[in-house]
Amino acid sequence: MELRHLRYFVAVAEEQNVTRAAARLHVSQPPLSRQIRDLEEELGVALFEHSARSVRLTEAGRVFLTEAQAVLRRAEEAVQTAKAVASGQRGEIHVGYAPSLTVEVLPRALRSFQEARPGVRVRLHDLSTEEMLRDLRQGRLHVALLIRPPAKALGGLVFEELRRYAVCVAVHPAHPLARARRVGLEQLAGERLIAYTREDYPEYHVWLSELFARLKRAPQIAEEQDSSTSLIAAVEAGRGVALVQKNFDCFAGPRLKVRPLLPAPAPFVVGAAHSEESGITVKEFIAAAKRE
């Protein structure tokens, strides 16, 4: 049984006349009659009672008509849904993000994207850099908003820049550096640093080492935290200071003081990573992030 058998049956049942049904379907009458007979033989039941001028549904035919119409509706819905997903009008997109880095970008991107694609559901995943890169490769994420990884770590993924943020120092409000308008790198030489975990954020540790190489010394990492939330808590508790991006105060609020680092190192680059084969929905999401 194929969908065309159901379409032929429904047309004959609704028209109650084979000739009119054939005209509606743009087929000749003999093949249409043959297809109906084939359908009845396959089902093993009579669907129609035939008279000289018309055909009438049997009791089994009336039940089969209801079910056949439902099948054809679902088939048409499936076609329309597939077309909508292919055109980016419907579907679902999984987005990985780093909270502190995307505190400005993500809400605005979501608002702009939902205005452009209201039929697409966005699923958000708060993950580390390593987790985002892994899930992108494994297809569990469609796009990730993160700090620019090293080219080797991207491993075939595409990275599109969205924002650049100056490097700053986050300290407890009572810390002596909180009173400074800006902080020199040499002032951090004797400070305990709160860093992100090396396992989840290896690029951050590479960056720290390169930064302190200017002083010909290694950074004094006192603690490693696996999230921005725990990093804020550690700095707020006075356990050390942290090197963060300029907009970090939007995330930490009044709990910490954020001061610019001078001389200014290269800024943090935040962007969107995705597969080279990304579809129109991912491209529209990235376009929304760039617009905002």
Side-chain angles (χ1 to χ4, degrees):
M1 185 187 305
E2 300 177 7
L3 286 178
R4 62 184 171 87
H5 292 108
L6 299 184
R7 294 192 182 98
Y8 289 171
F9 164 74
V10 169
V12 174
E14 291 177 347
E15 296 293 339
Q16 296 185 6
N17 183 280
V18 177
T19 302
R20 289 197 299 270
R24 167 176 158 181
L25 294 167
H26 304 289
V27 298
S28 59
Q29 184 175 333
L32 176 57
S33 298
R34 187 168 57 252
Q35 294 291 338
I36 295 299
R37 287 195 302 272
D38 291 345
L39 179 60
E40 289 179 316
E41 289 177 4
E42 182 173 348
L43 294 176
V45 298
L47 299 173
F48 294 102
E49 296 174 351
H50 297 266
S51 66
R53 294 181 176 274
S54 66
V55 293
R56 296 177 59 188
L57 287 168
T58 63
E59 183 177 354
R62 286 192 293 272
V63 173
F64 191 68
L65 175 61
T66 300
E67 299 300 327
Q69 289 170 329
V71 170
L72 291 175
R73 282 196 301 271
R74 286 293 296 120
E76 179 59 25
E77 289 171 2
V79 170
Q80 296 305 319
T81 299
K83 290 181 177 179
V85 170
S87 65
Q89 297 301 319
R90 291 183 62 181
E92 184 174 82
I93 181 173
H94 289 256
V95 179
Y97 72 102
S100 66
L101 292 168
T102 60
V103 65
E104 293 179 328
V105 174
L106 183 58
R108 298 172 184 174
L110 288 172
R111 182 172 60 249
S112 178
F113 178 73
Q114 292 298 163
E115 289 174 355
R117 293 287 186 266
V120 179
R121 181 184 181 187
V122 179
R123 298 282 299 274
L124 298 176
H125 305 271
D126 178 354
L127 300 168
S128 70
T129 300
E130 289 297 291
E131 290 170 330
M132 283 189 272
L133 294 175
R134 179 199 64 206
D135 287 358
L136 282 171
R137 293 191 182 93
Q138 295 179 355
R140 290 196 288 265
L141 289 181
H142 296 103
V143 62
L145 303 181
L146 71 171
I147 197 166
R148 184 198 295 275
K152 185 168 64 174
L154 280 171
L157 297 172
V158 177
F159 182 86
E160 299 188 41
E161 181 179 327
L162 297 175
R163 298 286 188 279
R164 293 190 172 209
Y165 295 106
V167 179
C168 292
V169 182
V171 300
H172 183 275
H175 193 285
L177 293 178
R179 296 190 294 271
R181 295 185 59 185
R182 56 186 62 84
V183 177
L185 182 61
E186 67 283 350
Q187 292 176 272
L188 299 180
E191 295 287 343
R192 291 164 49 89
L193 293 179
I194 309 297
Y196 293 105
T197 54
R198 187 181 299 272
E199 180 181 1
D200 293 326
Y201 302 91
E203 76 289 345
Y204 183 80
H205 285 262
V206 171
W207 175 80
L208 275 178
S209 296
E210 292 175 349
L211 181 65
F212 277 85
R214 303 178 187 182
L215 301 179
K216 297 182 179 180
R217 62 182 302 170
Q220 296 187 41
I221 298 175
E223 295 181 17
E224 294 185 6
Q225 302 294 338
D226 63 1
S227 70
S228 297
T229 304
S230 56
L231 183 141
I232 290 170
V235 175
E236 185 181 20
R239 301 174 67 86
V241 304
L243 286 162
V244 297
Q245 74 280 2
K246 184 178 181 181
N247 69 334
F248 196 79
D249 52 356
C250 296
F251 193 68
R255 298 166 64 185
L256 305 180
K257 294 296 182 181
V258 177
R259 297 291 181 257
L261 181 65
L262 293 178
F268 290 114
V269 178
V270 175
H274 60 97
S275 168
E276 293 180 345
E277 292 78 32
S278 294
I280 188 172
T281 305
V282 170
K283 293 175 182 176
E284 180 58 37
F285 183 86
I286 295 172
K290 289 180 177 179
R291 283 196 298 271
E292 295 301 321

